Amino acid sequence: MLLQFLLLLIEVQSISLKFKIPPGHQQCIKDNVSQNTLIYGQYESSTLLYTFTLNVVNQQEIENTIIEYSSQVVTQFHHVMQESGEISLCFEVDDYSEIATFNLFYESGAEIYDQDQLPKKQHVLNINETLEQMEQLQQEISREQLLIVDREHIRKLSFVDFQSHIVKFTCITLSILLIVAASQALYIRRYAIYKKLS
């Protein structure tokens, strides 16, 4: 079954979609785009068993396949419309695949029709990706630091507890030694007195 989305453009159109496609099915996103307009997008797929096509139907109702991708997890695409027409972004999942999940970002309109905007947009995306990676790394470092602090705290508590046990054991041992020494001294004194009397 072919599922379709119809997008109506008002100057700049930007969408983010997440959708699933069963094996052996196709899902298309359609849009009417003016001449000299740049269409730009990026998608992420959970499977490699799929085919992505960007088709353009011109005013003479002639359909042309402009872009075709497959077996890529993350892919970017762009195309400048030579004349006004309808575009169709189609995702078709192979029969042998599991249910596939797609995350799609799509943008078009007068604001980005200039081709010079494409490298800028790509640069911004790369910077955002780098910032996200740095943020994740910072979070991992923070977690590691907290774990180290917790371990040191536990070790410190264990060491203090061990020291208190040593002090207690030492006090008990000294007390026993003093008691034994006092008992021996008392016994020797009594023995000496007994010898004198006898």
Side-chain angles (χ1 to χ4, degrees):
M1 182 177 63
L2 179 63
L3 300 178
Q4 297 181 343
F5 292 102
L6 181 62
L7 304 178
L8 299 178
L9 277 181
I10 302 176
E11 293 187 353
V12 178
Q13 178 71 39
S14 177
I15 61 168
S16 293
L17 295 175
K18 182 177 182 179
F19 51 91
K20 296 183 178 181
I21 304 177
H25 288 71
Q26 184 185 64
Q27 183 163 322
C28 292
I29 300 170
K30 293 189 175 182
D31 192 6
N32 292 316
V33 184
S34 303
Q35 185 180 11
N36 294 327
T37 298
L38 170 67
I39 56 176
Y40 171 85
Q42 176 176 308
Y43 66 86
E44 180 178 353
S45 172
S46 64
T47 181
L48 298 178
L49 301 177
Y50 76 93
T51 301
F52 166 77
T53 55
L54 171 60
N55 302 315
V56 175
V57 179
N58 58 22
Q59 295 179 348
Q60 289 77 34
E61 297 186 355
I62 299 175
E63 182 175 3
N64 294 313
T65 300
I66 306 300
I67 297 173
E68 183 173 349
Y69 293 130
S70 62
S71 303
Q72 298 184 41
V73 176
V74 179
T75 304
Q76 297 177 357
F77 59 89
H78 66 276
H79 176 68
V80 177
M81 296 292 290
Q82 302 300 322
E83 58 179 320
S84 300
E86 182 184 73
I87 67 165
S88 180
L89 311 175
C90 292
F91 297 85
E92 184 174 0
V93 178
D94 193 87
D95 294 333
Y96 300 101
S97 173
E98 299 179 351
I99 296 178
T101 301
F102 292 90
N103 292 299
L104 171 67
F105 170 79
Y106 166 77
E107 185 174 20
S108 67
E111 181 181 338
I112 58 170
Y113 76 93
D114 188 356
Q115 296 189 47
D116 293 336
Q117 294 291 332
L118 184 62
K120 295 179 182 178
K121 185 175 293 295
Q122 177 63 42
H123 183 64
V124 170
L125 288 173
N126 291 336
I127 291 176
N128 289 336
E129 184 178 354
T130 303
L131 290 175
E132 290 177 359
Q133 292 176 353
M134 292 178 63
E135 184 178 359
Q136 291 178 356
L137 181 61
Q138 182 184 6
Q139 292 176 354
E140 292 178 1
I141 293 174
S142 299
R143 284 195 294 268
E144 289 295 330
Q145 288 178 340
L146 290 175
L147 287 174
I148 292 173
V149 171
D150 289 339
R151 290 195 194 103
E152 291 298 324
H153 183 65
I154 292 172
R155 288 175 184 174
K156 185 177 180 180
L157 291 177
S158 300
F159 181 72
V160 172
D161 187 54
F162 181 70
Q163 278 186 327
S164 63
H165 283 301
I166 291 177
V167 171
K168 289 180 183 178
F169 180 76
T170 303
C171 292
I172 293 173
T173 303
L174 290 176
S175 300
I176 293 173
L177 290 175
L178 289 174
I179 292 172
V180 171
S183 299
Q184 288 180 346
L186 183 62
Y187 175 77
I188 292 172
R189 184 179 177 184
R190 288 182 178 179
Y191 182 77
I193 293 174
Y194 175 77
K195 284 290 186 180
K196 287 180 180 180
L197 291 177
S198 61

